[in-house]
Every structure is written in structure tokens, then in C-alpha cells.
Amino acid sequence: MGGITADPEVMGGKPVVAGTRITVEEILRRLAAGESPEAILEAFPRLTPEGLRAALAYAAEVLGAERVRRLP
């Protein structure tokens, strides 16, 4: 269990760690609030270290693909 999936029937289509209902957003919010990766893994027993890393990689990829365009 470690990839990221998005399905309109699961968590409103938000990206989640495959096989769970744990959103990438929830993981990022917890990390931003200062929670350690170990504490997050403890809070979500179905989340693996691989799944946590996949969430971070997904977020980096999405942000890396963002482009800022000047409006006319």
C-alpha cells in the first residue's frame, strides 16, 4: 500500500493513499502543524512509511507542475 489514487466515490475525489481514506491533504496538514511522521503513522495504523512518502512525493509533483501566468 503506497501509491496515491483519486476516486470521486472516495473522500470526494481528493487524492488518498491507495487502499485507505487518508488524504494527502490530511498528511500535509498534520506535518505542517508540527506532528512527526512517526506520530502520523501511529495515528493511522493503515498508513505505511511508503504511503506517507508517496503523499509527499505526490504533493511535490503537483506543486512542481504548477505554472504562474501573467493575465493580460
Side-chain angles (χ1 to χ4, degrees):
M1 201 179 316
I4 302 300
T5 62
D7 178 341
E9 300 297 317
V10 177
M11 300 302 289
K14 289 185 176 191
V16 299
V17 177
T20 75
R21 296 176 65 81
I22 305 165
T23 63
V24 171
E25 176 185 3
E26 179 67 18
I27 292 169
L28 294 175
R29 286 188 187 281
R30 285 173 175 258
L31 288 169
E35 199 167 332
S36 71
E38 295 78 19
I40 296 169
L41 292 169
E42 189 175 312
F44 297 103
R46 295 198 57 185
L47 182 62
T48 64
E50 178 185 52
L52 193 142
R53 286 190 301 273
L56 295 175
Y58 175 85
E61 178 125 356
V62 168
L63 290 173
E66 254 188 19
R67 298 291 177 249
V68 176
R69 299 187 203 296
R70 187 177 276 217
L71 295 175

